[in-house]
Amino acid sequence: MERANDLVMPDDPGGEEFSSLTNPFRVELLAHCYRMLGSVHDAEDLVQETYLRAWRSYDGFEGRSSLRTWLYRIATRVCLTALENRGRRPLPTGLGGPTTDLDDAATMPDVPWLEPIPDALVGAEGSDPAAIVTSRESIRLAFVAALQHLPPRQRAVLLLRDVLKWRTAEVAEMLHTTTTAVDSTLRRARSHLERVSPRQDALAEPTSAAQRELLDRYVTAFEGRDVVALTELFTDEVSWEMPPFAAWFQGSETVSRHLATQCAAQPGDLRLVRTYANGQPAFATYLRSEDGIHHLTSLQVLTLTTAGIAHVTNFVDPRLFALFSLPDIGRLAHHGGSSA
């Protein structure tokens, strides 16, 4: 697949104009495709496909809608086509109830798991505070996971209406349907989402200062293998999941027992390097091997509330690490928790 940035040809005088006009929308289109697919790798491919199709048909663009709207039409249709033959991308918490069997280490490597996305790729680290809030709320891991429960067209309608704020008539035109059908689809999507998505008031975040203190304490406790200190940072109903392991744990006591009995690292063996994913704090986790080198083993994405750490998702797919510009291996002599 050609990358959109490579589509400008020397003998194509309109190519430079196309790139200059359409490239500003690349980041938000990537976020849109990611919400639809639940995979940053698939989203990147579909954004490339979107730009390729747009470039090929640019001469026929008549300006009856904005260029942004036109690109979103193409991207949404590309996503819906891609989803015709694909199942949803779940997290372990979306497949069944928690387990109390601490020895349950069954993996499901063939499941297309939901992937995290770096904030930097989708503009969640921008300078406009209002834009940051909007962007972060719409790419939260729990929200994207909840979207995966919706049929593709419901997913598209909800995103276009509630996230992008398109008018009903615009959505109807894009999907070749009626405004009545769009309204009906939106009601069903909202109702379904309410049943599977956490309440927003339950996800109220601590202040910036309290968040920094909480994360600093988490790093100190995790690197020091201080399970008692970690337990104090968790909410009572904290969830801990580790795709591709199907088992997940809930409750501070169960999670703490898992960390105490199933994680063999000693104090100093683990180092955390701070990053950000899905508008949430995240940590790259490095484990020291016998050669004294800390190897990157997982990416933790944390959900924080005013009551403490409510959810930790540990991703162990090595393909994801490169997305976050993290070193694969390294000697991390200093205290972890530094910004990546």
Side-chain angles (χ1 to χ4, degrees), residues 140-301:
R140 294 288 189 190
L141 203 56
F143 177 67
V144 179
L147 288 174
Q148 297 299 301
H149 290 269
L150 302 179
R153 284 179 72 88
Q154 285 189 22
R155 205 179 303 176
V157 168
L158 185 133
L159 289 173
L160 292 168
R161 289 284 288 113
D162 286 357
V163 174
L164 297 172
K165 307 302 181 183
W166 280 35
R167 291 180 288 109
T168 301
E170 293 177 306
V171 178
E173 180 184 358
M174 170 190 287
L175 300 179
H176 302 297
T177 188
T178 65
T179 56
T180 300
V182 169
D183 288 337
S184 176
T185 300
L186 182 60
R187 284 195 298 272
R188 292 196 301 273
R190 286 171 174 169
S191 176
H192 197 163
L193 206 63
E194 284 182 6
R195 293 195 297 272
V196 299
S197 183
R199 303 190 321 274
Q200 288 303 310
D201 57 350
L203 297 179
E205 290 189 328
T207 63
S208 297
Q211 183 174 139
R212 284 194 300 270
E213 180 186 2
L214 179 61
L215 294 175
D216 287 344
R217 291 172 61 194
Y218 180 77
V219 170
T220 300
F222 203 92
E223 293 184 347
R225 296 289 291 126
D226 189 341
V227 176
V228 173
L230 281 172
T231 304
E232 294 175 351
L233 304 178
F234 294 145
T235 64
D236 291 341
E237 296 300 315
V238 64
S239 297
W240 186 278
E241 58 184 337
M242 306 158 290
F245 295 93
W248 61 281
F249 308 103
Q250 187 172 53
S252 57
E253 291 186 6
T254 302
V255 171
S256 297
R257 281 192 288 116
H258 163 72
L259 294 174
T261 60
Q262 303 299 313
C263 302
Q266 299 300 313
D269 286 347
L270 292 167
R271 289 291 183 266
L272 301 186
V273 174
R274 192 169 300 179
T275 184
Y276 296 90
N278 294 80
Q280 300 170 230
F283 291 101
T285 308
Y286 291 79
L287 175 64
R288 183 166 57 193
S289 63
E290 293 181 357
D291 61 8
I293 295 178
H294 286 81
H295 296 256
L296 182 55
T297 58
S298 69
L299 180 78
Q300 302 182 26
V301 181

Side-chain angles (χ1 to χ4, degrees), residues 17 37 67 78 102 147 161 181 216 236 245 276 304 334:
E17 174 186 298
L37 275 295
L67 186 62
V78 166
L102 300 183
L147 288 174
R161 289 284 288 113
D216 287 344
D236 291 341
F245 295 93
Y276 296 90
L304 307 183
H334 65 283

